[in-house]
Amino acid sequence: MKKFITMIILNVAAASTALHAQLKPINTSRFIERTPHAAFSDIDMTQPVQNSARQSYIIGEHSQTYTAVRTVASFKINKYETTYALWYRIRIAAEKRGYVFANLGQEGSAGRRGKAPTDMGSMQPVTMISWYDAIIWCNALSELENKTPCYTYRKKILRDSTDTASCDLAECNWNADGYRLPTEAEWEYAARITKNGMQRSDRASGQAEAAGANDEQAEQMRVAWFSENTNMTRTVATAGTVFLPDAPPALLAGNANSAGLYDMSGNVLEFCWDWFANYVEQKERATGPAYGSERVSRGGSWSPYTPFINAGDRYSFDPNEVYNYMGFRICTSK
């Protein structure tokens, strides 16, 4: 009888401990999703500009009619597209703190929408969100990690993606330590930088030799999920792997570009900060025009609607549009 009572007490204590754990503040720093690959972390920032000096290159070289010199300051960018697991975790925590999202997000191109992540789809990129949702989510992640949010309007932190008027007029604090979308200049720099300079922009990101030189023989399929080798999104960081439908590749089994970034070409199209316009010379930080009607997206995707996956290819969409081939990756200035 004593043994039975002791077991009840232990069970109650365990339940109380579990409940207490659920009530603790969220810790998003270095969030590591439970996956078959213990080394994988949804947030793994890398620094393409390896020193504090500003770096210059010609944006759109070999791929665009209009080109211009772009200078980028030191920044960090995530190695991976934002996974649904990370999106969901931050969205749920943010909504409890008053954040509002117009779209709840979806697991990859054909997964569940707004629901808890599944084993099969959690590490696919989030889709079915708008540019507005993405910048609000970046602010949420920043606040949850006690960083300074980047996006404000009239000095007020933006926390509602349904307030599209304020989001359209958003200002970005480039000196803040919070998370944000990359500028178009930062995105292309990260997609093209190699050990030996810049790869051509009319190649897929990573379509270069190991030493960094442009590789005429390298196939796009080696570095990207796109319409010629898939009909849906795939788990991040798996592009270039050979697999059977019932045995999908493991995380990190794919090929990164020369900067260590995965899926810069293909899988999902990635939002950038800039309003779309022809390139013009910009002496200061290149952030695009102050106003516009469509925001830039880069990288192409799995979808035949966005088949151009080269590092210099450009797309533009109304910031309110949502598709199952559009996502984003995060960036920081510090």
Side-chain angles (χ1 to χ4, degrees), residues 228-274:
E228 292 188 18
N229 62 2
T230 185
N231 61 356
M232 60 183 290
T233 52
R234 298 292 180 180
T235 297
V236 299
T238 62
T241 54
V242 179
F243 70 98
L244 298 175
D246 58 347
L251 282 162
L252 302 181
N255 297 314
N257 72 1
S258 296
L261 307 177
Y262 294 86
D263 300 307
M264 288 294 280
S265 287
N267 215 12
V268 291
L269 200 63
E270 300 180 12
F271 297 130
C272 292
W273 160 257
D274 308 43

Side-chain angles (χ1 to χ4, degrees), residues 131 135 150-154 158 164-172 273 275 290 295:
W131 184 93
I135 67 167
C150 294
Y151 300 118
T152 61
Y153 174 60
R154 293 183 175 176
L158 293 173
T164 59
S166 295
C167 290
D168 279 335
L169 297 172
E171 296 178 342
C172 182
W273 160 257
W275 290 107
R295 296 281 184 173

Side-chain angles (χ1 to χ4, degrees), residues 121-156:
S122 63
M123 291 296 104
Q124 290 202 20
V126 63
T127 66
M128 297 303 294
I129 57 170
S130 70
W131 184 93
Y132 299 130
D133 294 313
I135 67 167
I136 298 304
W137 187 92
C138 286
N139 273 358
L141 177 58
S142 299
E143 290 202 286
L144 289 167
E145 288 199 356
N146 295 315
K147 298 179 183 293
T148 302
C150 294
Y151 300 118
T152 61
Y153 174 60
R154 293 183 175 176
K155 299 183 178 180
K156 180 181 178 181

Side-chain angles (χ1 to χ4, degrees), residues 9-292:
I9 293 173
L10 289 173
N11 288 335
V12 171
S16 176
T17 301
L19 177 60
H20 177 70
Q22 292 176 7
L23 295 176
K24 287 182 179 179
I26 187 170
N27 178 15
T28 64
S29 181
R30 286 292 179 259
F31 167 61
I32 299 178
E33 180 72 10
R34 284 180 286 181
T35 69
H37 201 299
F40 178 81
S41 171
D42 295 59
I43 301 177
D44 192 354
M45 310 298 283
T46 189
Q47 190 171 355
V49 181
Q50 294 301 320
N51 53 58
S52 58
R54 292 173 177 264
Q55 301 293 315
S56 297
Y57 73 102
I58 299 176
I59 194 168
E61 188 177 25
H62 304 117
S63 65
Q64 299 296 314
T65 302
Y66 298 97
T67 63
V69 174
R70 285 289 180 266
T71 300
V72 293
S74 179
F75 69 98
K76 294 180 181 179
I77 190 167
N78 201 10
K79 289 183 178 180
Y80 316 108
E81 293 170 330
T82 302
T83 64
Y84 182 75
L86 180 61
W87 162 271
Y88 179 85
R89 181 179 173 91
I90 301 308
R91 178 179 66 78
I92 295 300
E95 287 175 337
K96 293 177 181 178
R97 290 158 172 78
Y99 273 81
V100 177
F101 297 91
N103 303 285
L104 302 183
Q106 177 176 291
E107 273 188 337
S109 56
R112 302 197 306 172
R113 193 174 303 178
K115 305 294 184 182
T118 65
D119 290 339
M120 288 296 294
S122 63
M123 291 296 104
Q124 290 202 20
V126 63
T127 66
M128 297 303 294
I129 57 170
S130 70
W131 184 93
Y132 299 130
D133 294 313
I135 67 167
I136 298 304
W137 187 92
C138 286
N139 273 358
L141 177 58
S142 299
E143 290 202 286
L144 289 167
E145 288 199 356
N146 295 315
K147 298 179 183 293
T148 302
C150 294
Y151 300 118
T152 61
Y153 174 60
R154 293 183 175 176
K155 299 183 178 180
K156 180 181 178 181
I157 297 171
L158 293 173
R159 298 186 177 94
D160 183 355
S161 69
T162 67
D163 183 4
T164 59
S166 295
C167 290
D168 279 335
L169 297 172
E171 296 178 342
C172 182
N173 180 357
W174 303 105
N175 295 317
D177 62 352
Y179 296 96
R180 58 178 175 82
L181 298 178
T183 65
E184 185 176 20
E186 289 171 335
W187 191 97
E188 185 169 320
Y189 182 90
R192 293 177 56 196
I193 187 64
T194 74
K195 296 176 182 178
N196 293 331
M198 303 294 287
Q199 73 161 74
R200 292 174 61 100
S201 70
D202 58 355
R203 301 280 188 275
S205 179
Q207 201 175 355
E209 296 174 350
N214 290 299
D215 188 349
E216 300 291 339
Q217 303 303 316
E219 296 182 357
Q220 290 182 330
M221 292 185 183
R222 195 183 71 183
V223 294
W225 291 120
F226 64 121
S227 58
E228 292 188 18
N229 62 2
T230 185
N231 61 356
M232 60 183 290
T233 52
R234 298 292 180 180
T235 297
V236 299
T238 62
T241 54
V242 179
F243 70 98
L244 298 175
D246 58 347
L251 282 162
L252 302 181
N255 297 314
N257 72 1
S258 296
L261 307 177
Y262 294 86
D263 300 307
M264 288 294 280
S265 287
N267 215 12
V268 291
L269 200 63
E270 300 180 12
F271 297 130
C272 292
W273 160 257
D274 308 43
W275 290 107
F276 185 85
N278 289 333
Y279 295 134
V280 295
E281 297 295 334
Q282 292 183 315
K283 295 182 179 180
E284 301 298 326
R285 183 192 294 269
T287 60
Y291 305 101

